[in-house]
Amino acid sequence: MFSSLPFMYMFFSVMGVGTLFSISSLHWLGIWAGLEINLIGFLPILVYQKSMSESESAVKYFVVQALGSSLLIFGSLNLYSLSFTWETLVSSNIGPSVSLFILIMGLFVKLGLFPFHFWLPSVMAGLPWLSCLLLATWQKLAPLCLTMSLFQFEFSYALLLVFCVLSAGSSFVGGIGGVNQTQVRALLAYSSIGHLGWIMFGLIHSEWVMKSYFMIYVFISFCLFMSLWYSNSGTMKNLGSLKESGLDQMSVMFMLLSLGGLPPLLGFISKWLVMVISINSHLWSFVFILILGSLMSLFYYLGLFFSLFLSNLKKSNNIKLSLYNSNFVLMLLLLLNLFGGLLILMMNVLEIL
Protein backbone atom coordinates (compact mmCIF):
# COMPACT_ATOMS: atom_id res chain seq x y z
CA MET A 1 0.00 0.00 0.00
CA PHE A 2 2.84 2.39 0.79
CA SER A 3 6.47 2.01 -0.18
CA SER A 4 9.38 3.66 1.61
CA LEU A 5 11.35 3.86 -1.62
CA PRO A 6 12.48 7.36 -2.68
CA PHE A 7 10.25 7.57 -5.76
CA MET A 8 7.11 7.41 -3.59
CA TYR A 9 8.28 10.45 -1.64
CA MET A 10 8.96 12.16 -4.97
CA PHE A 11 5.39 11.52 -6.13
CA PHE A 12 4.01 12.83 -2.83
CA SER A 13 6.18 15.93 -3.18
CA VAL A 14 5.00 16.55 -6.75
CA MET A 15 1.37 16.14 -5.64
CA GLY A 16 1.83 18.58 -2.74
CA VAL A 17 3.74 21.14 -4.82
CA GLY A 18 1.03 21.05 -7.51
CA THR A 19 -1.68 21.77 -4.96
CA LEU A 20 0.28 24.60 -3.31
CA PHE A 21 1.19 26.07 -6.71
CA SER A 22 -2.45 26.05 -7.76
CA ILE A 23 -3.64 27.67 -4.51
CA SER A 24 -0.99 30.40 -4.51
CA SER A 25 -1.31 31.31 -8.19
CA LEU A 26 -2.98 34.59 -9.21
CA HIS A 27 -3.60 33.57 -12.82
CA TRP A 28 -5.99 31.00 -14.25
CA LEU A 29 -3.20 29.51 -16.36
CA GLY A 30 -1.09 28.95 -13.23
CA ILE A 31 -4.08 27.43 -11.43
CA TRP A 32 -4.64 25.00 -14.29
CA ALA A 33 -0.93 24.11 -14.42
CA GLY A 34 -0.87 23.45 -10.66
CA LEU A 35 -3.84 21.11 -10.89
CA GLU A 36 -2.17 19.20 -13.72
CA ILE A 37 1.08 18.87 -11.72
CA ASN A 38 -0.97 17.53 -8.82
CA LEU A 39 -2.61 14.99 -11.13
CA ILE A 40 0.78 13.85 -12.47
CA GLY A 41 1.99 13.21 -8.93
CA PHE A 42 -1.17 11.44 -7.75
CA LEU A 43 -1.65 8.97 -10.62
CA PRO A 44 1.52 6.89 -9.95
CA ILE A 45 0.41 6.52 -6.32
CA LEU A 46 -2.89 5.05 -7.52
CA VAL A 47 -1.33 2.40 -9.76
CA TYR A 48 1.61 1.48 -7.52
CA GLN A 49 0.38 -2.05 -6.67
CA LYS A 50 -0.51 -2.76 -10.32
CA SER A 51 -3.76 -4.56 -9.50
CA MET A 52 -6.66 -4.58 -11.93
CA SER A 53 -9.01 -2.61 -9.65
CA GLU A 54 -6.42 0.10 -9.01
CA SER A 55 -5.65 0.45 -12.72
CA GLU A 56 -9.35 0.74 -13.52
CA SER A 57 -9.85 3.37 -10.81
CA ALA A 58 -6.79 5.29 -12.01
CA VAL A 59 -8.07 5.38 -15.60
CA LYS A 60 -11.50 6.59 -14.45
CA TYR A 61 -9.91 9.23 -12.26
CA PHE A 62 -7.65 10.42 -15.09
CA VAL A 63 -10.53 10.73 -17.57
CA VAL A 64 -12.72 12.66 -15.13
CA GLN A 65 -9.90 14.98 -14.04
CA ALA A 66 -9.02 15.61 -17.70
CA LEU A 67 -12.65 16.57 -18.30
CA GLY A 68 -12.59 18.94 -15.32
CA SER A 69 -9.31 20.48 -16.47
CA SER A 70 -10.74 20.94 -19.99
CA LEU A 71 -13.76 22.79 -18.63
CA LEU A 72 -11.49 24.87 -16.39
CA ILE A 73 -9.14 25.95 -19.17
CA PHE A 74 -12.05 26.53 -21.57
CA GLY A 75 -13.83 28.77 -19.08
CA SER A 76 -10.64 30.67 -18.24
CA LEU A 77 -9.89 31.21 -21.95
CA ASN A 78 -13.37 32.64 -22.43
CA LEU A 79 -12.87 34.90 -19.41
CA TYR A 80 -9.58 36.02 -20.95
CA SER A 81 -11.40 36.98 -24.14
CA LEU A 82 -13.78 39.12 -22.06
CA SER A 83 -11.32 40.74 -19.64
CA PHE A 84 -8.02 40.43 -21.63
CA THR A 85 -6.18 39.22 -18.53
CA TRP A 86 -5.41 35.93 -16.81
CA GLU A 87 -5.70 37.44 -13.34
CA THR A 88 -8.44 35.90 -11.21
CA LEU A 89 -9.26 39.15 -9.41
CA VAL A 90 -10.11 40.94 -12.64
CA SER A 91 -11.65 38.16 -14.72
CA SER A 92 -13.91 36.96 -11.89
CA ASN A 93 -15.26 40.46 -11.26
CA ILE A 94 -16.78 40.98 -14.69
CA GLY A 95 -20.16 39.73 -13.51
CA PRO A 96 -22.11 36.52 -14.10
CA SER A 97 -21.39 34.90 -17.44
CA VAL A 98 -21.47 31.54 -19.14
CA SER A 99 -17.66 31.40 -19.01
CA LEU A 100 -17.60 31.78 -15.24
CA PHE A 101 -20.26 29.09 -14.89
CA ILE A 102 -18.22 26.70 -17.09
CA LEU A 103 -15.15 27.38 -14.97
CA ILE A 104 -17.04 26.66 -11.75
CA MET A 105 -18.47 23.52 -13.33
CA GLY A 106 -14.92 22.31 -14.03
CA LEU A 107 -14.04 22.79 -10.35
CA PHE A 108 -17.17 20.90 -9.31
CA VAL A 109 -16.24 18.00 -11.61
CA LYS A 110 -12.86 17.78 -9.89
CA LEU A 111 -14.53 17.88 -6.47
CA GLY A 112 -17.19 15.28 -7.25
CA LEU A 113 -20.08 17.55 -6.28
CA PHE A 114 -23.63 16.75 -7.39
CA PRO A 115 -24.50 16.26 -10.28
CA PHE A 116 -20.87 15.43 -11.17
CA HIS A 117 -20.55 12.82 -8.41
CA PHE A 118 -20.87 9.75 -10.64
CA TRP A 119 -17.15 8.95 -10.69
CA LEU A 120 -16.23 9.14 -7.01
CA PRO A 121 -17.79 5.89 -5.61
CA SER A 122 -16.50 3.69 -8.43
CA VAL A 123 -13.01 5.19 -8.19
CA MET A 124 -12.72 4.88 -4.40
CA ALA A 125 -14.10 1.33 -4.41
CA GLY A 126 -10.98 0.02 -6.16
CA LEU A 127 -8.29 1.94 -4.28
CA PRO A 128 -6.25 1.07 -1.17
CA TRP A 129 -6.89 2.95 2.06
CA LEU A 130 -4.04 5.46 1.72
CA SER A 131 -5.12 6.48 -1.78
CA CYS A 132 -8.72 6.75 -0.57
CA LEU A 133 -7.59 9.03 2.25
CA LEU A 134 -5.70 11.30 -0.13
CA LEU A 135 -8.60 11.37 -2.59
CA ALA A 136 -11.12 12.25 0.12
CA THR A 137 -9.04 14.96 1.79
CA TRP A 138 -5.95 16.41 0.07
CA GLN A 139 -7.29 16.24 -3.51
CA LYS A 140 -10.26 18.38 -2.51
CA LEU A 141 -8.12 21.15 -1.05
CA ALA A 142 -7.18 23.00 -4.25
CA PRO A 143 -10.65 22.99 -5.93
CA LEU A 144 -12.27 24.10 -2.64
CA CYS A 145 -9.81 26.96 -2.17
CA LEU A 146 -10.30 28.06 -5.79
CA THR A 147 -14.08 27.95 -5.38
CA MET A 148 -13.71 29.94 -2.16
CA SER A 149 -11.71 32.60 -4.01
CA LEU A 150 -14.56 32.99 -6.48
CA PHE A 151 -17.03 33.58 -3.65
CA GLN A 152 -15.22 36.79 -2.72
CA PHE A 153 -17.20 38.49 -5.46
CA GLU A 154 -20.90 39.23 -5.54
CA PHE A 155 -22.92 36.52 -7.27
CA SER A 156 -26.46 36.97 -8.45
CA TYR A 157 -29.30 35.49 -6.42
CA ALA A 158 -30.04 32.98 -9.20
CA LEU A 159 -26.46 31.68 -9.16
CA LEU A 160 -26.49 31.40 -5.36
CA LEU A 161 -29.76 29.47 -5.65
CA VAL A 162 -28.10 27.08 -8.10
CA PHE A 163 -25.24 26.53 -5.64
CA CYS A 164 -27.73 25.81 -2.85
CA VAL A 165 -29.55 23.28 -5.04
CA LEU A 166 -26.26 21.54 -5.84
CA SER A 167 -25.31 21.50 -2.14
CA ALA A 168 -28.67 20.06 -1.09
CA GLY A 169 -28.54 17.54 -3.93
CA SER A 170 -25.06 16.40 -2.84
CA SER A 171 -26.23 15.81 0.73
CA PHE A 172 -29.32 13.93 -0.46
CA VAL A 173 -27.38 11.76 -2.95
CA GLY A 174 -24.69 11.08 -0.34
CA GLY A 175 -27.37 9.86 2.07
CA ILE A 176 -29.47 7.76 -0.28
CA GLY A 177 -26.50 6.35 -2.24
CA GLY A 178 -24.97 4.57 0.73
CA VAL A 179 -28.11 2.73 1.86
CA ASN A 180 -27.52 -0.42 -0.20
CA GLN A 181 -23.72 -0.35 -0.12
CA THR A 182 -21.77 -3.33 1.19
CA GLN A 183 -18.28 -1.96 0.47
CA VAL A 184 -16.91 0.42 3.09
CA ARG A 185 -14.91 2.38 0.49
CA ALA A 186 -18.01 3.11 -1.61
CA LEU A 187 -19.91 3.99 1.56
CA LEU A 188 -17.24 6.51 2.52
CA ALA A 189 -17.30 7.91 -1.03
CA TYR A 190 -21.02 8.65 -0.73
CA SER A 191 -20.34 10.10 2.71
CA SER A 192 -17.74 12.38 1.13
CA ILE A 193 -20.30 13.53 -1.45
CA GLY A 194 -22.74 14.36 1.35
CA HIS A 195 -20.10 16.30 3.29
CA LEU A 196 -19.20 18.25 0.16
CA GLY A 197 -22.78 19.49 0.08
CA TRP A 198 -22.46 20.77 3.66
CA ILE A 199 -19.07 22.35 2.90
CA MET A 200 -20.41 24.16 -0.16
CA PHE A 201 -23.50 25.37 1.70
CA GLY A 202 -21.27 26.66 4.51
CA LEU A 203 -19.05 28.42 1.95
CA ILE A 204 -22.06 30.31 0.61
CA HIS A 205 -22.55 31.90 4.05
CA SER A 206 -19.08 32.08 5.61
CA GLU A 207 -15.51 31.15 4.68
CA TRP A 208 -14.66 30.52 8.34
CA VAL A 209 -17.45 27.94 8.66
CA MET A 210 -16.28 26.20 5.48
CA LYS A 211 -12.68 26.04 6.73
CA SER A 212 -13.77 24.76 10.14
CA TYR A 213 -16.00 22.09 8.58
CA PHE A 214 -13.26 20.97 6.20
CA MET A 215 -10.66 20.73 8.98
CA ILE A 216 -12.98 18.66 11.16
CA TYR A 217 -13.87 16.44 8.20
CA VAL A 218 -10.19 15.88 7.38
CA PHE A 219 -9.41 14.97 10.99
CA ILE A 220 -12.29 12.49 11.29
CA SER A 221 -11.49 10.98 7.89
CA PHE A 222 -7.85 10.55 8.90
CA CYS A 223 -8.88 8.77 12.13
CA LEU A 224 -11.37 6.53 10.30
CA PHE A 225 -9.16 5.59 7.36
CA MET A 226 -6.22 4.84 9.64
CA SER A 227 -8.46 2.61 11.75
CA LEU A 228 -9.77 0.77 8.69
CA TRP A 229 -6.24 0.46 7.34
CA TYR A 230 -5.14 -1.07 10.64
CA SER A 231 -8.10 -3.47 10.79
CA ASN A 232 -7.99 -4.24 7.03
CA SER A 233 -11.79 -4.16 6.69
CA GLY A 234 -12.97 -3.66 3.14
CA THR A 235 -16.58 -4.84 3.38
CA MET A 236 -19.38 -4.64 5.92
CA LYS A 237 -19.04 -8.33 6.66
CA ASN A 238 -15.37 -7.88 7.54
CA LEU A 239 -16.27 -5.21 10.09
CA GLY A 240 -18.05 -7.89 12.10
CA SER A 241 -14.89 -9.98 12.33
CA LEU A 242 -12.02 -7.60 12.93
CA LYS A 243 -8.62 -8.79 14.01
CA GLU A 244 -9.47 -7.86 17.56
CA SER A 245 -13.17 -7.46 18.13
CA GLY A 246 -14.48 -5.30 20.92
CA LEU A 247 -12.83 -1.92 21.39
CA ASP A 248 -11.20 -1.91 17.94
CA GLN A 249 -14.55 -2.63 16.35
CA MET A 250 -16.33 -0.03 18.44
CA SER A 251 -13.69 2.57 17.63
CA VAL A 252 -14.36 2.16 13.90
CA MET A 253 -18.11 2.36 14.48
CA PHE A 254 -17.93 5.46 16.67
CA MET A 255 -15.78 7.17 14.06
CA LEU A 256 -18.39 6.29 11.44
CA LEU A 257 -21.07 7.81 13.68
CA SER A 258 -18.90 10.88 14.17
CA LEU A 259 -18.52 11.16 10.41
CA GLY A 260 -22.29 10.90 10.11
CA GLY A 261 -22.76 13.78 12.55
CA LEU A 262 -24.35 12.11 15.57
CA PRO A 263 -24.42 14.48 18.58
CA PRO A 264 -22.39 15.06 20.69
CA LEU A 265 -19.56 13.58 18.62
CA LEU A 266 -17.01 15.73 16.83
CA GLY A 267 -18.69 15.47 13.42
CA PHE A 268 -21.84 17.09 14.78
CA ILE A 269 -20.03 20.35 15.60
CA SER A 270 -19.31 21.15 11.96
CA LYS A 271 -22.94 20.58 10.95
CA TRP A 272 -24.08 22.62 13.93
CA LEU A 273 -21.91 25.56 12.77
CA VAL A 274 -23.48 25.44 9.29
CA MET A 275 -26.99 25.33 10.74
CA VAL A 276 -26.30 28.25 13.10
CA ILE A 277 -24.76 30.45 10.39
CA SER A 278 -27.67 29.82 8.00
CA ILE A 279 -30.49 30.66 10.46
CA ASN A 280 -30.56 34.36 9.56
CA SER A 281 -30.10 33.70 5.84
CA HIS A 282 -32.85 33.79 3.23
CA LEU A 283 -31.57 30.40 2.00
CA TRP A 284 -32.17 28.61 5.31
CA SER A 285 -34.87 26.33 3.86
CA PHE A 286 -32.20 24.24 2.11
CA VAL A 287 -30.89 23.19 5.53
CA PHE A 288 -33.79 20.74 5.86
CA ILE A 289 -32.65 18.83 2.75
CA LEU A 290 -29.09 18.79 4.09
CA ILE A 291 -30.33 17.42 7.41
CA LEU A 292 -32.44 14.81 5.59
CA GLY A 293 -29.35 13.55 3.76
CA SER A 294 -27.42 13.34 7.03
CA LEU A 295 -30.29 11.45 8.67
CA MET A 296 -30.24 8.88 5.89
CA SER A 297 -26.50 8.48 6.42
CA LEU A 298 -27.02 8.02 10.15
CA PHE A 299 -29.73 5.43 9.43
CA TYR A 300 -27.37 2.87 7.92
CA TYR A 301 -24.54 3.85 10.27
CA LEU A 302 -26.73 3.20 13.30
CA GLY A 303 -28.09 -0.03 11.80
CA LEU A 304 -24.56 -1.29 11.30
CA PHE A 305 -23.57 -0.09 14.77
CA PHE A 306 -26.37 -1.96 16.54
CA SER A 307 -25.81 -5.14 14.53
CA LEU A 308 -22.14 -5.15 15.48
CA PHE A 309 -22.92 -4.27 19.08
CA LEU A 310 -25.35 -7.18 19.40
CA SER A 311 -22.87 -9.53 17.77
CA ASN A 312 -20.25 -8.45 20.30
CA LEU A 313 -22.57 -9.29 23.19
CA LYS A 314 -22.27 -12.93 22.12
CA LYS A 315 -18.47 -12.70 22.29
CA SER A 316 -17.98 -11.35 25.80
CA ASN A 317 -14.76 -13.27 26.28
CA ASN A 318 -13.27 -11.82 23.11
CA ILE A 319 -14.28 -8.34 24.17
CA LYS A 320 -12.44 -8.68 27.48
CA LEU A 321 -9.34 -9.85 25.71
CA SER A 322 -9.51 -7.05 23.17
CA LEU A 323 -9.71 -4.39 25.86
CA TYR A 324 -6.25 -5.42 27.02
CA ASN A 325 -4.76 -6.04 23.60
CA SER A 326 -6.23 -2.98 21.91
CA ASN A 327 -3.99 -0.66 19.97
CA PHE A 328 -3.23 2.57 21.84
CA VAL A 329 -3.53 4.74 18.73
CA LEU A 330 -7.04 3.46 18.00
CA MET A 331 -8.06 4.16 21.58
CA LEU A 332 -6.68 7.70 21.37
CA LEU A 333 -8.51 8.41 18.09
CA LEU A 334 -11.71 7.03 19.61
CA LEU A 335 -11.43 9.31 22.66
CA LEU A 336 -10.77 12.35 20.46
CA ASN A 337 -13.90 11.67 18.43
CA LEU A 338 -15.99 10.91 21.51
CA PHE A 339 -15.02 13.86 23.66
CA GLY A 340 -13.74 16.34 21.08
CA GLY A 341 -17.22 17.30 19.93
CA LEU A 342 -18.54 17.51 23.49
CA LEU A 343 -15.62 19.71 24.56
CA ILE A 344 -16.02 22.13 21.65
CA LEU A 345 -19.78 22.30 22.25
CA MET A 346 -19.26 23.12 25.93
CA MET A 347 -16.72 25.82 25.03
CA ASN A 348 -19.19 27.47 22.65
CA VAL A 349 -21.98 27.35 25.23
CA LEU A 350 -19.73 28.90 27.89
CA GLU A 351 -18.67 31.60 25.42
CA ILE A 352 -22.33 32.44 24.72
CA LEU A 353 -23.12 32.58 28.44
Side-chain angles (χ1 to χ4, degrees):
M1 185 176 297
F2 176 75
S3 175
S4 59
L5 295 177
F7 68 87
M8 286 297 291
Y9 294 104
M10 181 188 68
F11 291 141
F12 279 110
S13 301
V14 171
M15 184 181 66
V17 167
T19 299
L20 296 178
F21 184 80
S22 179
I23 293 174
S24 59
S25 180
L26 297 177
H27 299 77
W28 289 116
L29 190 60
I31 290 171
W32 172 78
L35 291 174
E36 293 305 302
I37 294 172
N38 171 266
L39 178 63
I40 291 173
F42 187 56
L43 281 176
I45 300 175
L46 296 184
V47 298
Y48 168 68
Q49 290 184 336
K50 301 179 181 179
S51 65
M52 186 65 68
S53 60
E54 289 184 9
S55 301
E56 181 182 353
S57 297
V59 170
K60 291 178 183 177
Y61 182 77
F62 173 75
V63 171
V64 172
Q65 295 299 310
L67 175 62
S69 298
S70 302
L71 293 174
L72 182 65
I73 196 65
F74 179 69
S76 59
L77 284 172
N78 286 335
L79 287 177
Y80 177 80
S81 65
L82 296 175
S83 59
F84 297 102
T85 180
W86 287 101
E87 294 185 6
T88 58
L89 297 177
V90 178
S91 59
S92 302
N93 206 20
I94 61 176
S97 63
V98 178
S99 304
L100 185 60
F101 185 76
I102 293 174
L103 190 145
I104 295 174
M105 189 167 58
L107 293 176
F108 286 174
V109 169
K110 285 183 168 295
L111 278 172
L113 191 74
F114 173 84
F116 312 106
H117 64 281
F118 52 88
W119 61 272
L120 189 58
S122 60
V123 169
M124 283 188 66
L127 295 179
W129 290 117
L130 181 61
S131 301
C132 287
L133 176 62
L134 293 174
L135 182 58
T137 54
W138 181 260
Q139 293 301 100
K140 289 181 171 54
L141 181 61
L144 276 177
C145 290
L146 298 176
T147 308
M148 182 177 61
S149 66
L150 294 176
F151 273 85
Q152 296 177 358
F153 307 98
E154 293 293 331
F155 285 136
S156 63
Y157 179 76
L159 193 56
L160 286 178
L161 199 62
V162 170
F163 289 153
C164 290
V165 171
L166 297 184
S167 302
S170 295
S171 179
F172 187 77
V173 168
I176 201 171
V179 173
N180 293 324
Q181 288 296 325
T182 57
Q183 288 190 347
V184 181
R185 292 179 177 85
L187 185 73
L188 294 176
Y190 280 107
S191 177
S192 176
I193 294 170
H195 283 286
L196 276 176
W198 282 88
I199 291 173
M200 192 56 59
F201 192 77
L203 178 59
I204 295 172
H205 297 88
S206 171
E207 290 185 6
W208 177 80
V209 171
M210 189 279 290
K211 293 176 182 177
S212 302
Y213 195 112
F214 184 69
M215 289 176 62
I216 293 175
Y217 169 71
V218 169
F219 175 73
I220 298 174
S221 298
F222 176 79
C223 297
L224 181 59
F225 278 104
M226 289 298 103
S227 301
L228 292 171
W229 186 3
Y230 170 76
S231 60
N232 195 21
S233 302
T235 61
M236 294 297 186
K237 188 171 71 172
N238 291 342
L239 281 178
S241 57
L242 295 182
K243 293 177 180 177
E244 295 177 352
S245 60
L247 187 61
D248 296 340
Q249 193 179 82
M250 290 298 106
S251 65
V252 174
M253 291 313 305
F254 271 110
M255 290 173 197
L256 283 172
L257 294 179
S258 179
L259 192 65
L262 183 70
L265 300 178
L266 184 60
F268 168 73
I269 302 301
S270 52
K271 291 182 170 59
W272 180 69
L273 290 174
V274 174
M275 289 186 287
V276 168
I277 201 67
S278 61
I279 287 177
N280 298 324
S281 172
H282 54 280
L283 301 171
W284 61 270
S285 57
F286 288 96
V287 177
F288 293 103
I289 306 178
L290 293 170
I291 295 175
L292 180 62
S294 295
L295 286 177
M296 286 188 290
S297 300
L298 277 176
F299 171 74
Y300 50 78
Y301 284 152
L302 284 172
L304 181 60
F305 177 83
F306 285 118
S307 64
L308 293 178
F309 181 74
L310 292 176
S311 66
N312 271 339
L313 290 180
K314 302 177 182 178
K315 306 174 183 178
S316 58
N317 294 329
N318 292 335
I319 294 176
K320 292 177 182 178
L321 289 175
S322 67
L323 290 175
Y324 293 103
N325 298 329
S326 177
N327 189 282
F328 175 74
V329 177
L330 284 180
M331 186 185 301
L332 180 61
L333 297 180
L334 173 62
L335 293 177
L336 287 174
N337 279 276
L338 281 176
F339 300 108
L342 188 59
L343 181 61
I344 296 176
L345 186 60
M346 290 176 60
M347 291 173 60
N348 282 274
V349 170
L350 291 175
E351 185 177 349
I352 294 173
L353 296 177

